Amino acid sequence: METNDFYPEIYSMKNLFLAWRNARKGKTKKDYIIEFEKNLGANLRALHYELKFQIYKPKPLKTFILRDPKTRKISKSDFRDRIVHHALVRVIEPIFDKSFIYDSCANRKGKGNLFALKRFELFKSEITNNLKTETYCLKADIKHYFQEVDHKILLNIIKRKIKDEKVIWLIERILENNVKSNPQGKGMPLGNLTSQFFANVYLNELDYFVKHKLRAKYYIRYVDDFVLLNQSKEKLLSWGIIEDFLIKNLKIEFHKEKSKIISLSKGIDFVGFRNFYYFKLLRRRNIRNMFLKIRKYRNADLNKEKILEIFQGWNAYAKWADSHNLKIKIYEEIVQIL
């Protein structure tokens, strides 16, 4: 597929139908989806027409605050716009994904948090000679990442691969829909599929700098959170130039409180676990969050079906930690309240 003439593939009825199926997964009982599907054919044909003749305009985002337990501002797109997001990503993701480094994780097929965790375990074993040598980690987090992504820089990165001006027009339409909340041409709303995808496109620049310029072998990025392992603390200190690269080229910077060089023996917070030499524990926030959900169920803020779904997901995740007693305690709490 040529990257300079594939806009029709995005708005094709077949692609819109598949995008609709993806957008509705896990949400089929939602009122707005039921309403959209009452006239599914007509609604998809309307999107097809608007995209084909470039008169498509996203509806305003609905913004709300989520405390779960971290406070986050979520901006939610209308369901018809989410179908467009899926339609776009279905077509352009393969173009970019093959250029992403192997250890760019999150929002990629088969590369979720457990993939990142297993890679961390492998890297830890290799660099410490099977846990015999002291190792340090540069653990970094990017400050207000989704709020700070610069649209102009992002579009310039995208245009290196996408030559079809109509596809660029659609991407601009989606990005501009967030301008009301951030009029400086920056930021992407948390919660959009396109935001998650563009997050990897943007930070692929960082990945290439670290892997090819610095030639760092033991590097893993999970969205805006990354780890770099090395036996030399001094080497990691010299790699402070990574932040210079981010500021100069991407106009983003490290979160000072969450970015540090630390010995692996003290435990590295990464993908929901505190990773030590010989074991790993669940992060305290993860544990508090589960107890918070149990409390919500006791207060009738969650139904039985939802608390069981949450517990099953948490339990599948927690099994990777060395937290046997904690898992028993949570299980007993669940059994007691049901």
Side-chain angles (χ1 to χ4, degrees):
M1 181 177 63
E2 294 294 324
T3 60
N4 59 354
D5 187 24
F6 61 94
Y7 184 64
E9 188 170 340
I10 293 171
Y11 66 73
S12 73
M13 286 300 293
K14 179 182 177 181
N15 191 48
L16 288 174
F17 180 80
L18 293 171
W20 159 73
R21 287 207 314 193
N22 288 341
R24 76 194 290 268
K25 279 180 183 174
K27 305 178 183 73
T28 54
K29 295 179 182 178
K30 298 285 187 181
D31 291 342
Y32 58 82
I33 291 183
I34 293 170
E35 187 63 31
F36 186 90
E37 292 173 358
K38 283 179 182 176
N39 296 293
L40 178 61
N43 285 327
L44 290 181
R45 282 193 295 273
L47 275 177
H48 169 82
Y49 181 87
E50 291 172 31
L51 290 168
K52 181 177 181 177
F53 293 101
Q54 292 184 276
I55 57 172
Y56 166 73
K57 186 176 181 181
K59 292 188 176 181
L61 299 168
K62 291 182 180 177
T63 301
F64 58 95
I65 302 300
L66 183 66
R67 295 179 176 87
D68 195 22
K70 185 179 176 181
T71 300
R72 291 177 295 164
K73 181 181 175 183
I74 306 293
S75 294
K76 190 175 179 181
S77 291
D78 189 85
F79 181 62
R80 79 192 301 269
D81 295 323
R82 279 180 260 163
I83 293 173
V84 174
H85 298 169
H86 278 273
L88 172 67
V89 172
R90 272 182 50 78
V91 174
I92 70 171
E93 184 174 38
I95 298 169
F96 287 91
D97 192 75
K98 60 189 177 186
S99 68
F100 293 162
I101 67 166
Y102 187 76
D103 292 306
S104 162
C105 311
N107 312 312
R108 296 180 71 194
K109 203 169 287 186
K111 294 197 173 182
N113 48 14
L114 292 181
F115 172 85
L117 184 68
K118 288 175 183 176
R119 293 294 287 173
F120 186 90
E121 289 290 308
L122 174 66
F123 287 177
K124 179 179 73 173
S125 177
E126 285 185 5
I127 199 167
T128 61
N129 300 313
N130 289 322
L131 311 179
K132 295 172 187 172
T133 309
E134 185 174 22
T135 290
Y136 294 91
C137 177
L138 168 58
K139 166 72 169 60
D141 187 284
I142 295 169
K143 185 178 180 182
H144 303 150
Y145 176 53
F146 280 86
Q147 299 170 33
E148 295 297 324
V149 168
D150 187 288
H151 293 180
K152 187 176 179 181
I153 295 172
L154 174 61
L155 284 166
N156 284 338
I157 294 168
I158 291 171
K159 286 175 183 177
R160 290 184 213 149
K161 291 187 177 294
I162 305 292
K163 305 303 180 185
D164 189 327
E165 291 183 4
K166 291 181 180 179
V167 177
I168 298 300
W169 168 84
L170 178 57
I171 292 170
E172 287 175 335
R173 268 283 194 271
I174 292 168
L175 290 173
E176 286 166 3
N177 201 34
N178 194 46
V179 169
K180 286 183 181 178
S181 58
N182 194 339
Q184 298 175 324
K186 292 165 63 175
M188 302 186 298
L190 277 172
N192 276 2
L193 174 70
T194 45
S195 298
Q196 297 163 15
F197 172 68
F198 292 146
N200 276 341
V201 172
Y202 203 73
L203 285 180
N204 189 47
E205 302 294 299
L206 164 68
D207 299 340
Y208 268 71
F209 178 76
V210 173
K211 295 295 290 183
H212 298 288
K213 185 74 175 179
L214 301 183
R215 300 190 178 279
K217 185 177 180 180
Y218 300 110
Y219 165 79
I220 311 167
R221 180 175 61 79
Y222 190 86
V223 194
D224 59 340
D225 194 5
F226 71 84
V227 289
L228 251 170
L229 297 173
N230 201 283
Q231 290 182 0
S232 167
K233 189 174 183 179
E234 288 68 32
K235 186 71 171 175
L236 290 176
L237 284 167
S238 74
W239 283 347
I241 58 171
I242 292 172
E243 185 170 23
D244 297 334
F245 171 84
L246 290 174
I247 293 169
K248 181 181 177 183
N249 295 276
L250 300 176
K251 296 185 180 177
I252 50 179
E253 60 184 344
F254 286 169
H255 194 302
K256 302 301 181 192
E257 295 173 8
K258 296 181 181 178
S259 304
K260 60 188 82 172
I261 295 172
I262 187 170
S263 170
L264 194 57
S265 61
K266 293 184 179 178
I268 309 300
D269 272 357
F270 188 55
V271 291
F273 296 89
R274 293 164 62 210
N275 300 273
F276 297 85
Y277 273 94
Y278 302 104
F279 61 94
K280 52 185 169 290
L281 303 174
L282 285 166
R283 290 175 67 182
R284 293 186 183 93
R285 190 173 76 192
N286 185 295
I287 299 165
R288 285 197 304 269
N289 195 23
M290 191 62 225
F291 279 111
L292 177 65
K293 293 294 194 301
I294 292 171
R295 195 179 316 130
K296 282 187 174 183
Y297 177 75
R298 289 185 192 275
N299 295 336
D301 292 329
L302 290 176
N303 59 33
K304 185 176 180 178
E305 182 182 330
K306 189 64 179 175
I307 191 68
L308 281 173
E309 179 189 326
I310 290 168
F311 171 67
Q312 287 168 359
W314 181 88
N315 198 41
Y317 192 66
K319 73 178 184 181
W320 296 93
D322 301 290
S323 306
H324 180 69
N325 292 337
L326 170 68
K327 284 179 276 188
I328 290 175
K329 185 178 179 181
I330 297 280
Y331 175 77
E332 290 174 345
E333 287 264 357
I334 293 289
V335 169
Q336 185 182 355
I337 63 176
L338 294 178

